[in-house]
Amino acid sequence: MESSTASPTSTIGATIWLTGLSGAGKTTIGQAVAEALKARGQRVEILDGDLVRQHLSKGLGFSKEDRDENIRRIGFVAHLLTRNGVFVVASAISPYRAIRQEVRSMIGQFVEVYVNAPLAVCESRDVKGLYAKARAGLIRGFTGIDDPYEAPEQPEVECRTDRDSLENCTAQVLAALDRLGYLPSQD
């Protein structure tokens, strides 16, 4: 979890929820969006799924129930920060639509960003070898292999990381924040 010390120019917070398969580019886009928001003087916290699992959700497994509970915990922290005027950049696979909708309802100021890349592209980016282990049967219940990923039906933003640049994806997210009224105008 990373914080900005810049003076805020807005008291409206929002949660930018990046969802997608492992290796799609959620963390990379999230970091770029956070830096862009900090450059605009906004208070920002990053809630990365891997880091949250190590600290806030330690002990949870990867059953559907545990995955849902992990997302609820991330959502609760995002809710607390958002209501206090912080932009939260949450990047977590969050494979199930119903729990994403539950978190959206809890937070209110919520921008869903579908970080979309074909499975083959995600597998080619897999530096940890998790997809290979899942395909070999060493990991069970791996999202995209033997556990489903339910893509968002109407995300505010869809970033196609197999064909869009990081700069383009970041600009799409910032444009959505502008369009939805979460960012003050830049005069």
Side-chain angles (χ1 to χ4, degrees):
M1 291 177 233
E2 187 176 301
S3 178
S4 168
T5 57
S7 299
T9 57
S10 170
T11 57
I12 298 173
T15 292
I16 300 109
W17 194 277
L18 297 109
T19 177
L21 292 172
S22 180
K26 297 176 300 298
T27 298
T28 301
I29 293 171
Q31 290 170 341
V33 168
E35 288 305 314
L37 288 169
K38 288 175 189 178
R40 290 185 176 201
Q42 301 303 311
R43 296 184 306 161
V44 179
E45 285 288 342
I46 296 175
L47 298 176
D48 183 77
D50 289 340
L51 292 175
V52 170
R53 267 204 176 270
Q54 290 173 5
H55 301 286
L56 186 62
S57 295
K58 196 172 191 170
L60 289 180
F62 291 91
S63 67
K64 182 177 185 324
E65 295 76 21
D66 282 358
R67 290 176 197 219
D68 286 351
E69 182 58 28
N70 182 51
I71 297 308
R72 279 188 191 97
R73 290 178 187 184
I74 295 170
F76 179 72
V77 173
H79 167 70
L80 293 176
L81 291 165
T82 297
R83 77 177 188 193
N84 284 287
V86 175
F87 281 90
V88 177
V89 178
S91 48
I93 293 170
S94 44
Y96 310 117
R97 280 187 205 109
I99 194 66
R100 289 192 309 263
Q101 184 56 44
E102 181 182 317
V103 169
R104 175 190 288 272
S105 296
M106 175 183 15
I107 295 170
Q109 297 99 277
F110 187 94
V111 178
E112 187 174 43
V113 179
Y114 177 26
V115 182
N116 186 357
L119 180 59
V121 171
C122 294
E123 288 188 75
S124 73
R125 296 174 178 167
D126 182 20
V127 296
K128 297 177 189 173
L130 298 175
Y131 282 105
K133 289 178 183 174
R135 289 207 181 274
L138 302 173
I139 299 174
R140 299 261 184 241
F142 194 79
T143 302
I145 302 298
D146 61 347
D147 200 65
Y149 176 78
E150 299 170 353
E153 294 176 329
Q154 295 184 326
E156 283 75 15
V157 179
E158 181 176 356
C159 294
R160 288 296 309 261
T161 61
D162 58 321
R163 58 183 187 215
D164 293 336
S165 69
L166 176 58
E167 294 75 21
N168 183 277
C169 292
T170 304
Q172 288 179 62
V173 175
L174 294 174
L177 292 170
D178 270 331
R179 182 178 74 251
L180 296 167
Y182 294 127
L183 285 175
S185 61
Q186 289 184 304
D187 295 329

